[in-house]
Structure formats: C-alpha cells, structure tokens
Amino acid sequence: MPYNIAMISDFFYPQPGGVESHIYQLGTKLIDRGHRVIVITHAYTLSDGHPPRSGIRYLANRGFKVYHLPHWVVFRSTTFPTVFSSFPLLRYIFIRERIQIVHAHGSLSNLGHEGLLHGATMGLRSVFTDHSLFGFSDAGSILTNKLLKFSLSDVGHVICVSHTCKENTTLRASLNPLSVSVIPNAVVASNFRPLQPGEASEITTIKNDTLPPPPDPSRPLNPGDPITIVVISRLFYNKGTDLLISALPLLLNRHENLRFIIAGSGPKAIDLEQMLDSLPQNLVLTPTGQSRVRLMGSIRHEEVRRVMIRGHLLLSTSLTEAFGTVLVEAASCGLMVVATRVGGVPEVLPSNMTVLVLPEVEDVVRGVTEAVGMLTGSSDPTSANAGRMRKVRRDRFHEQVKIMYSWADIARRTERVYDLVTNNPSAPDNTVDDEEWDGYGVEAAAQVQSFALIDRLKRYFGCGIWAGKLFVIVVVVDYLIYCWLELWYPRDKIDICKEWPRVMNVEEDVWGINAKLDEHESGNQHAVNDHLEREVTVTQRRWDRKGSLAPADAAG
Amino acid sequence: MLSINRPTPTTVLYTVSTRSPTDTWPSRFSSYLLIFVRILAGLFAISLAWSEYVLQLGIRAIGRSLATTEPGRFIPTPILLHFQAQHALLRLAIIVAIFYFSTQKFYQEESLLVLRGLGVQTTTQSSNYLSRGSSAMRFIPTSSIQDIFIHEAFKGFEVRFYLAIVVEGEAELRVVFPNILPRREMLETVWRGTRACLYEPTKSPQG
C-alpha cells in the first residue's frame, strides 16, 4: 500500500553532499512508486554559504515537499542538540501530512534522532538509514554511539549502505542484526555516461584549465601511451590525502606516461602543493613542458563527470569509506578504479573494474602499476594476476554499473523495509521469490512493534546502567509533552494537507490508483519535469486538484 | 465562520469571523444577554467615573477649606490627600478597564471584497466597537494583482494555510485574513470564488 513517509535529516539541499542527494533520489523514486514523501530539515540562512531556504517548498512538480523548520539555536549548519524543542512542529507536520513512517537519515543528524523519538512517542513506524562509519574508541565516538543506541532502541528497522556499515552500526548501537538491512547507494547512471562519440569536440575546458583531451574508452591503449589518473576527493586526513602525497612521487618516478588530475580541496591541499614544489622538474613536467599533476581545487558535483571522462583510472586512497559513491560514478564513466580496501569499498564494484590495495604506500604503487598493466595490456611478470590481462573493457563498465545500481531498485528495496515495519504485504511487483528471504527481519521487527509506553521504557532501560535511567526519564518527559500538546493543539484543529495529484504511467500504477481517479484528474497529467525547483506560485496554481472554478461552486 | 455576501454577480464579500454563529435560540439569547450585560457594565463604568469625579471635587474642597482655615491643626491632611489620590488612580484604572472590556468585541472579523474589473479589498476590523478608524483596509486594483494562491507557512508552533495575493511591485505578499488564518476548506472556497469573480468564469485555471 502507498505510504506517507517523512524523511528527516539535518542534511538536505541546498547544502550539497551524499546524504542530501540520497534523500532526494530515494524520495523522487518513492514518489514514482506512488508514495507520498516529505522531507523535514532545518532552515538555511544566507550565512551558511548556500542560497537561503526557509518555510515550506516544493521540489520538482510531483509534490516532493520540503519543510525547512525554523531553528532557534544555530551553530554552523547543524541544529543545537536539543531533545524536545522541535516536537510541537514535528507533531503538527506528522498529523497534517498523515505520516505513517518516519525515516531518519545520518547518525550525526540531531533532527533525525529527534524525529525518531517523537515519532515513536506518537506511535509511528520508524526507519533509520546510516550513511557513515564511526570508531569506538575516542570520546566523540563514544558519545555519538550512546546517542545512537538511545535513538535506535525504538526504531523499527535500520538500513545501512554497505555490509561493513551494517557491522559497524550493529555493534555501535547494540542492535539485533536481523533488524538491520543493507541497501546501497546508487548513482544516476545517465549523469555519468562515458565519453559519447562526437562529444570530444564540443567539450569545453573547465576553469580555463587545459586538461588533457578525453580519451576514447573503446580504443585499447598501447604500452607507453599517456594514462591519466583522476583523484576526486576532499583533501582531508580521513580521505587518505597523506597516502596520496607519499605515493605520488613514486608513481611519477616509476611510470613516465602517468598524468594526474586531482580535484578537491581541504586542509591537506597545502601539503600536496608543497610536495609537488619539492619534486625535481623532470618528474613533474612532461618533455614538452606541461605539468603532469594538475590540481583543480574543489569542483561542483555537476562537473565531476567532465573531469572523470578525461581519465583512464580513478585512484581512491581513502582511509574510511562507508560506501564510496565516487567509485561507482567513476566506473559508470568507464574508468578503471584503484581503491584502498577499507570500509564498504570491496563490496561496491566487481573485481573486473577494480584493483583493491592496502592503505600502504607500496601497495598503492603496486595497485596502480597493476591497473596500468591491465589497461595497456603489458603484463607485469611480477604481478599475481598476469593471467587476466587484456580483459578490461572500459567501454562496457557503464552498462554493467547501470544494471547494478539504480535508484528505482533502491526505492523498491526500501519499500520492502517499509512493508516490514508496517506489517503489510509487499506490492505485487516487489516480492522476493527466494525462499531464503521469507520472513526476513519479521521477528526482529515484532520486538519493537509494541508502542505501549511500558514496553518502550523497558527497551530504553536496557541501554545502560545510568544511561538507561536517563533515557527513561527523557522518554517519559517526551510522553508528557505529547499529552500536553494533544490538549493545547488538538488534532481536529489541524488542517490535513491535500494530496498532490498522482501522475504516473499505467504500467507503473502498482496500487491501482489511477483507476480510482476520475477522468478529470487523469486529464490533469502534466509533463513530469524532473530535477527542477519550480516557483511556488507555479506549483500553487496546480495545487488544487479539482480546479473547477464554476461560480456555483464559489457560492456554495 | 465564513459568510458570503453576493449583492451582484460581479461582487462578492467574504467575511471570516471568529464569532460563534447565532442561528439557534439559546445562542441568540446568550448573545443578546451579553449585549445587555455590556450595556450595563458600560453604564456602570460611566456612573462610577461620575461619582469619582464628584468625590474628588468634594475632597479637594474640604482639604482646601481645612488648609486655609486652620493650618496648624491638620498635619496629616496632605498625606491623606495623597493617599486618596493614589486610590483614585487605581479606581480610575478599574473604571477604564471595565469600560474598555464592555466595548470590546471579543471576536475578530476580517473580510475580502472582490469586485470584478476593479480589484479586491482586504479589511481587518478593529477589535473595539468605538475605534472604527484603526481598522486596516487595503484596496488592490486588478491590474496590479499578479496572482492569488494558497500556501502554507510556519507560525509559532503551528503550520498554517494562508491565502495570499501577489501585488505587482511589492516585495511582500499581501495575506488575506492575516489574523484569523481560517482553515483550508474555507480558504479554498474563497480562493475559488475570488478567481472566478476576478477572472472570466469561462477560463479554467489549469494551464
């Protein structure tokens, strides 16, 4: 059945990032499947460096509604960690949107945790998606893990982006592993196509920088041909910039045909530049006097593809990575991937696209050498994989990635999680035939399906000796606030929002919704214009479902 | 409560009021009773003020006569006078309050007048019977109305629907019924009617 879903996170557009685009893509695909999705985030002011956003907005034109909650205490772009402050507004929104499922994203999002707590107090089903890995030892992690344990005590189901992330989250929050599912991220494959025939001539240079011309992915490389390695990473310690800095001179020295494009900025950018300055001229310059290593600075997400298609190889030296979207994006652009074997990286791509290395300088050099060998077909006799040379077909990567990763698939799998937490049967096109998965997670979900206050308190009490008692107090206070809110802002005084007119193809009409619409409404289908933020007034004109303006109607 | 007044086919007056409807006998009786009580309270306040005035005159006269005749014997007199005056202020405040509340409406009334070919006029009526002049009124000619729509906004701990008019050349929207912010069904009725009345009724708004 179609659900009303509230995605809650501190991280949403206009701020760019992985969680942000995950929520957006998942939301739009769920809307395509007939659900209603709203996003609740905080307001952005101009000082955050983004266009300001406040109030209630619509994204695209299919009723993807975003509530930018006004926040009272601000530090940078995260809300101050209060526990109860947004309860009145969240409750109001949950009621007026008839929300059934609260879906929070990101373990550092305070708003998400608040949403889970208040949602549980209101008796709503909850799902949480974790996007990141955390340690266990430092003070910050311990605190975050305790908080996570608290807010996940009551959550119906947890989604992690990779199996490593699942392991991490299960341990951190002491969860039942059966109530944790793995649903990866995806990429919009059409945004990351490899170089198209005839496109090479019209590619303009980025930032007036003369980058090497994009190579043709279908043309095999000969030994000695210039090979461009792309590095797209924020230059932070945890992204392995130090490893890159150490490995770069060795690689430049060992292979004369290597060129590097490094995109991204961060505190380690200075170290990188210093290292390049300290190298002898014959290493950093080609015989014709061009620089072999180009630093692009930070680039926008839209520009990533235009940088990627100029390379043959993507190098990722990250020290921690929950999923590694950039690897999938690179493979979709037809790049060979050399990546450190950390976090969820080994799960992301099949072995014919990747060379995995240990996060050590020598191994990075070995991995790049091996990948270069695979690309050029010159087999390195020392390599263990000498047998599988000449098998890399970069031009086929895109099609393979397109099959592996699609947001529509992610939305279907997320919908199954929703079915699980709400105890509903799956949609006819969304069932798994495999017997092995029959009843997956049902038992674990059943444990948290009682919303009686005493059962909730029992779950929270088990969180720890002192923390358990503290959490119980918090939950009781939350419940009292809820009772007060029910008296002060009674439910029947809250206006229910109208549903956005459903627009979908007949084939996609899983729930038979179109059949219920009368002819007038099905005639109301307007062009589905994706990825466009429409003016409020424009959407508002279409807002009314009936739109009949007969004077008789007005008089009634 | 929404009342629609349509004197001619091209004119509509929408009035939204928080007053409880007086269509049943008990409610009508109670509203008359309330008016009666108010008149009584108003008269009471006026008569109190009058008596206070007379009293003050009397005290002044006594004090003056005492002070002029025998200055040495009535030392506490100034203190007494002061005391009297203080209490007089308090009493005066109470009288003013009674009078104010007896003329207070205890409900809000806001209206939207739509005239085809001319424009719309929004009115927020004053909350007091006596201060007619302070009611906010604004006329917007049709030529400067860019759009009229319903949207939602945060207001305090609530999310409310509002009907707004986009006026050409103004940075801010003009919210219709800004204080009452009626419920969605009511706003939709007004929105449909206003659009039908402002624009040609044959034209459908769906582009």
Side-chain angles (χ1 to χ4, degrees):
Chain A
M1 59 177 291
Y3 301 114
N4 298 337
I5 303 150
M7 304 264 183
I8 306 186
S9 180
D10 268 321
F11 312 111
F12 195 66
Y13 295 139
Q15 176 181 290
V19 182
E20 289 83 349
S21 71
H22 178 105
I23 296 173
Y24 177 75
Q25 299 291 352
L26 179 64
T28 45
K29 293 302 174 197
L30 283 170
I31 289 173
D32 284 349
R33 288 189 60 79
H35 303 287
R36 284 180 65 231
V37 180
I38 62 161
V39 172
I40 302 175
T41 182
H42 63 261
Y44 288 88
T45 55
L46 200 58
S47 61
D48 296 332
H50 317 292
R53 291 284 183 275
S54 61
I56 298 156
R57 304 177 69 95
Y58 287 92
L59 293 182
N61 57 2
R62 283 172 295 166
F64 194 23
K65 201 174 187 180
V66 186
Y67 286 85
H68 291 279
L69 296 191
H71 54 158
W72 298 277
V73 191
V74 192
F75 177 70
R76 307 283 294 197
S77 70
T78 26
T79 46
F80 189 78
T82 55
V83 184
F84 308 111
S85 68
S86 55
F87 194 12
L89 270 178
L90 283 179
R91 171 179 168 273
Y92 212 96
I93 294 169
F94 289 162
I95 292 174
R96 76 198 299 272
E97 297 282 352
R98 285 174 294 170
I99 294 299
Q100 295 153 317
I101 295 168
V102 178
H103 190 162
H105 289 263
S107 32
L108 284 181
S109 162
N110 173 56
L111 195 60
H113 291 307
E114 263 194 62
L116 290 178
L117 172 68
H118 304 323
T121 304
M122 292 177 68
L124 306 176
R125 306 291 164 189
S126 50
V127 177
F128 174 78
T129 299
D130 202 353
H131 293 260
S132 42
L133 300 175
F134 277 93
F136 299 90
S137 48
D138 57 301
S141 298
I142 291 170
L143 213 63
T144 314
N145 293 348
K146 209 69 187 169
L147 180 72
L148 198 70
K149 201 171 174 180
F150 166 54
S151 86
L152 297 193
S153 305
D154 232 1
V155 82
H157 207 82
V158 177
I159 298 172
C160 292
V161 290
S162 64
H163 289 277
T164 314
C165 182
K166 170 176 175 175
E167 196 181 316
N168 184 274
T169 307
T170 310
L171 290 174
R172 276 157 59 207
S174 316
L175 293 169
N176 180 348
L178 279 178
S179 67
V180 185
S181 293
V182 175
I183 300 177
N185 274 320
V187 293
V188 184
S190 58
N191 289 353
F192 292 95
R193 286 171 304 158
L195 185 75
Q196 299 299 300
E199 200 188 4
S201 55
E202 61 195 50
I203 280 198
T204 53
T205 51
I206 301 158
K207 288 185 178 175
N208 300 321
D209 201 342
T210 49
L211 289 172
D216 184 359
S218 56
R219 197 176 59 84
L221 283 164
N222 295 316
D225 280 356
I227 287 181
T228 308
I229 296 181
V230 179
V231 178
I232 294 182
S233 150
R234 283 177 291 125
L235 303 177
F236 280 90
Y237 167 74
N238 64 342
K239 293 289 172 186
T241 310
D242 294 311
L243 195 56
L244 178 70
I245 291 170
S246 317
L248 207 53
L250 296 175
L251 286 169
L252 289 171
N253 195 18
R254 188 157 171 183
H255 301 280
E256 281 181 0
N257 56 344
L258 286 189
R259 310 278 184 274
F260 283 87
I261 301 175
I262 300 175
S265 63
K268 292 282 180 184
I270 294 172
D271 295 353
L272 187 62
E273 282 170 31
Q274 275 179 347
M275 183 277 294
L276 288 175
D277 286 345
S278 68
L279 289 180
Q281 288 289 307
N282 62 344
L283 264 191
V284 290
L285 293 181
T286 57
T288 53
Q290 284 178 320
S291 174
R292 289 176 70 190
V293 182
R294 286 173 202 274
L295 303 181
M296 305 268 309
S298 73
I299 55 170
R300 294 202 309 272
H301 193 240
E302 307 91 89
E303 293 175 328
V304 165
R305 182 202 165 232
R306 291 196 289 168
V307 174
M308 276 183 176
I309 56 172
R310 285 155 202 274
H312 302 84
L313 202 64
L314 181 105
L315 176 62
S316 161
T317 52
S318 185
L319 300 182
T320 165
E321 198 76 70
F323 180 74
T325 312
V326 71
L327 308 181
V328 185
E329 288 170 354
S332 176
C333 284
L335 267 69
M336 186 83 197
V337 172
V338 179
T340 42
R341 190 190 287 274
V342 293
V345 168
E347 307 163 26
V348 165
L349 288 172
S351 58
N352 68 328
M353 299 180 186
T354 47
V355 175
L356 293 175
V357 297
L358 300 174
E360 292 160 8
V361 177
E362 298 79 33
D363 212 44
V364 170
V365 174
R366 180 198 64 79
V368 172
T369 309
E370 185 184 328
V372 167
M374 286 163 79
L375 282 172
T376 56
S378 69
S379 63
D380 186 351
T382 58
S383 167
N385 301 331
R388 60 167 204 192
M389 290 300 124
R390 284 307 264 183
K391 283 194 180 163
V392 180
R393 288 290 304 271
R394 290 203 298 129
D395 49 334
R396 289 194 185 156
F397 283 6
H398 178 68
E399 293 303 316
Q400 290 172 353
V401 170
K402 205 164 127 185
I403 294 165
M404 280 187 286
Y405 291 106
S406 91
W407 281 111
D409 180 47
I410 303 301
R412 257 200 305 279
R413 292 160 75 174
T414 310
E415 189 187 295
R416 282 205 286 270
V417 172
Y418 296 155
D419 293 331
L420 180 70
V421 294
T422 52
N423 262 339
N424 282 315
S426 295
D429 69 329
N430 199 15
T431 48
V432 187
D433 289 332
D434 201 342
E435 275 183 21
E436 190 191 341
W437 297 100
D438 273 353
Y440 177 83
V442 171
E443 226 172 281
Q447 287 175 7
V448 283
Q449 289 207 331
S450 165
F451 282 107
L453 186 62
I454 189 68
D455 290 332
R456 294 185 59 213
L457 291 181
K458 275 179 196 163
R459 289 199 286 270
Y460 284 111
F461 194 74
C463 283
I465 299 170
W466 293 104
K469 293 176 178 68
L470 183 72
F471 293 165
V472 163
I473 292 170
V474 169
V475 173
V476 167
V477 170
D478 203 56
Y479 190 77
L480 290 177
I481 293 177
Y482 179 55
C483 295
W484 180 80
L485 285 173
E486 285 288 327
L487 289 174
W488 200 251
Y489 300 108
R491 257 162 210 270
D492 55 336
K493 288 280 194 303
I494 297 176
D495 275 330
I496 304 298
C497 281
K498 272 199 159 183
E499 286 186 26
W500 192 267
R502 306 224 186 224
V503 182
M504 62 175 89
N505 301 327
V506 181
E507 310 90 69
E508 292 177 2
D509 192 358
V510 188
W511 311 103
I513 291 156
N514 267 349
K516 290 180 204 155
L517 299 177
D518 55 18
E519 298 86 353
H520 188 91
E521 282 162 345
S522 53
N524 192 18
Q525 292 195 0
H526 39 261
V528 176
N529 195 353
D530 215 349
H531 306 293
L532 259 184
E533 194 166 331
R534 304 292 296 261
E535 289 290 323
V536 167
T537 49
V538 176
T539 56
Q540 218 47 53
R541 256 183 231 136
R542 297 169 181 221
W543 185 64
D544 190 85
R545 237 174 137 176
K546 280 188 171 169
S548 53
L549 288 190
D553 197 0
Chain B
M1 193 181 78
L2 175 69
S3 64
I4 302 166
N5 200 347
R6 190 183 272 270
T8 68
T10 57
T11 313
V12 201
L13 174 68
Y14 295 100
T15 310
V16 175
S17 158
T18 54
R19 177 159 51 169
S20 52
T22 55
D23 46 357
T24 58
W25 276 107
S27 65
R28 204 169 293 176
F29 176 73
S30 63
S31 78
Y32 286 143
L33 192 70
L34 191 66
I35 291 171
F36 183 67
V37 169
R38 278 148 173 258
I39 290 170
L40 276 188
L43 287 175
F44 177 62
I46 290 169
S47 60
L48 268 184
W50 174 250
S51 66
E52 186 68 20
Y53 175 67
V54 171
L55 192 66
Q56 288 294 324
L57 280 186
I59 290 172
R60 291 266 165 83
I62 293 166
R64 209 179 301 120
S65 63
L66 289 176
T68 47
T69 47
E70 292 186 40
R73 278 184 60 190
F74 285 93
I75 294 164
T77 307
I79 299 165
L80 182 74
L81 280 180
H82 182 66
F83 187 69
Q84 288 285 356
Q86 258 195 343
H87 274 255
L89 271 180
L90 188 71
R91 282 199 296 272
L92 201 66
I94 292 170
I95 290 165
V96 168
I98 293 173
F99 191 72
Y100 176 76
F101 281 113
S102 70
T103 59
Q104 195 68 10
K105 273 179 183 167
F106 296 114
Y107 63 84
Q108 285 179 311
E109 205 164 273
E110 290 174 311
S111 59
L112 175 73
L113 177 67
V114 187
L115 305 156
R116 181 179 297 170
L118 286 173
V120 299
Q121 178 171 274
T122 61
T123 313
T124 299
Q125 279 189 10
S126 159
S127 60
N128 198 294
Y129 281 112
L130 297 181
S131 64
R132 202 74 185 168
S134 69
S135 63
M137 202 180 272
R138 166 91 195 267
F139 179 77
I140 305 163
T142 312
S143 56
S144 60
I145 296 177
Q146 286 194 325
D147 202 355
I148 175 165
F149 60 80
I150 300 173
H151 198 47
E152 303 131 274
F154 294 106
K155 191 169 190 295
F157 280 145
E158 293 179 297
V159 188
R160 301 293 292 265
F161 285 94
Y162 63 90
L163 180 66
I165 300 172
V166 185
V167 185
E168 202 176 333
E170 280 185 26
E172 295 202 339
L173 298 170
R174 177 79 191 177
V175 178
V176 186
F177 316 129
N179 298 316
I180 299 177
L181 291 175
R183 301 192 62 159
R184 200 194 71 204
E185 289 80 13
M186 236 178 244
L187 288 179
E188 281 173 18
T189 314
V190 176
W191 180 78
R192 285 211 188 87
T194 308
R195 287 192 67 104
C197 194
L198 267 182
Y199 307 113
E200 293 300 314
T202 50
K203 212 175 94 182
S204 171
Q206 294 173 29

